Amino acid sequence: MATGAAGGANKPRRRNMRAADREQLILEEAVRFFAEHGFEGQTRELAKRMGITHSAIYRHFPSKESLIERVYEHIYLSRWSPAWAPLIRDRSLTLEARLTRFYLEYVERVFDHDWVRIFVFSGLRSFDITKRYLVIVRDEIIRPACEELRRELGIDLPAGTELTERELEMAWGLHGRIFYLAIRRFVYLTPTPERLDDVVRDAVRIHLAGAKALASADDRPWNAADNAT
């Protein structure tokens, strides 16, 4: 009995925390937990890991789905800059300068272990975090970048001509090329350059040079308007 009492006395006493602080603590630990275990990880295991009761989690988050929704808001929406969409359309800068600045800032914000792994886990399961986030990327970056590329290259099309699948895939190709570095670093755990500035600049230049070459080709991406999405 004496040993048990001594052991209990040696345990650190959990400080009383305000409800908002405890909720934030659970949220931050959930981000790390889901990044390691994916969304199949159970909240009971999360509670055990934190040294709290399972019911304590549900006092702040009524369901696992509501906790995942808060993870999405915390790790994805909070890192998306409202300045990025206007930047892509800022014609006081060249398109190369705009895309380069965006991707340098994007890399700085989203190349994070937890961010990338949760993104991948979400894409593999039924949670729609990945899909919802990619809609934001498509509407605020990909589509405007395609429209600005037409203008940069002097592509003369009737007003209101829809973007073609090939145009959109060119822009997604640039985005994917840069994001794949994060996949290699945080999912495959393979070496990537410590500093990515030059890699980003090279990717943007190659993308624009390729688009310029295609602009003078007979089979241009801008010809197939009937394949627009």
Side-chain angles (χ1 to χ4, degrees):
M1 293 292 293
T3 302
N10 289 333
K11 286 184 179 180
R13 300 184 65 179
R14 186 172 295 278
R15 294 178 303 167
N16 291 327
M17 299 178 67
R18 293 186 308 141
D21 293 336
R22 185 176 292 277
E23 181 176 311
Q24 185 66 22
L25 183 64
I26 293 171
L27 176 60
E28 291 173 356
E29 189 60 36
V31 168
R32 290 187 285 270
F33 178 74
F34 290 135
E36 292 174 18
H37 300 285
F39 292 118
E40 292 182 342
Q42 299 299 309
T43 52
R44 192 174 299 278
E45 288 300 315
L46 171 60
K48 182 178 178 181
R49 169 169 162 157
M50 295 186 67
I52 61 177
T53 64
H54 192 213
S55 60
I57 292 178
Y58 288 99
R59 281 199 292 272
H60 299 279
F61 304 95
S63 65
K64 182 177 179 180
E65 289 71 22
S66 68
L67 176 57
I68 290 172
E69 180 65 22
R70 285 289 304 280
V71 167
Y72 172 68
E73 294 172 359
H74 178 69
I75 198 170
Y76 290 96
L77 298 186
S78 67
R79 295 193 186 194
W80 185 267
S81 171
W84 285 340
L87 170 62
I88 297 300
R89 295 193 181 278
D90 182 3
R91 293 178 178 175
S92 68
L93 302 171
T94 65
L95 185 56
E96 179 179 336
R98 286 177 262 167
L99 291 175
T100 300
R101 181 183 298 180
F102 164 69
Y103 279 111
L104 288 175
E105 293 181 10
Y106 190 73
V107 163
E108 185 68 26
R109 290 208 181 191
V110 310
F111 273 46
D112 170 82
H113 173 273
D114 296 346
W115 194 105
V116 173
R117 292 182 65 85
I118 287 176
F119 186 84
V120 172
F121 278 128
S122 173
L124 293 172
R125 298 301 174 193
S126 59
F127 297 104
D128 65 351
I129 286 176
T130 300
K131 292 180 181 178
R132 289 162 60 189
Y133 183 79
L134 289 177
V135 167
I136 297 173
V137 175
R138 181 197 67 196
D139 292 345
E140 298 197 13
I141 304 300
I142 299 299
R143 294 184 68 87
C146 289
E147 293 164 359
E148 293 301 306
L149 180 60
R150 282 183 177 182
R151 183 179 182 278
E152 185 96 351
L153 296 175
I155 303 298
D156 187 18
L157 294 171
T161 301
E162 291 292 326
L163 297 168
T164 67
E165 289 182 342
R166 288 175 64 191
E167 285 180 271
L168 292 166
E169 287 306 313
M170 285 167 58
W172 278 119
L174 170 61
H175 193 83
R177 176 179 183 147
I178 293 172
F179 188 70
Y180 184 63
L181 290 161
I183 299 295
R184 285 168 52 198
R185 180 179 293 183
F186 299 115
V187 178
Y188 299 151
L189 305 180
T190 56
T192 56
E194 183 67 26
R195 288 185 56 81
L196 299 176
D197 296 26
D198 289 339
V199 178
V200 168
R201 291 189 179 94
D202 291 345
V204 171
R205 289 181 186 133
I206 291 169
H207 169 70
L208 294 176
K212 184 176 181 180
L214 285 173
S216 59
D218 291 334
D219 183 23
R220 305 187 310 166
W222 302 275
N223 288 348
D226 55 330
N227 291 330
T229 58

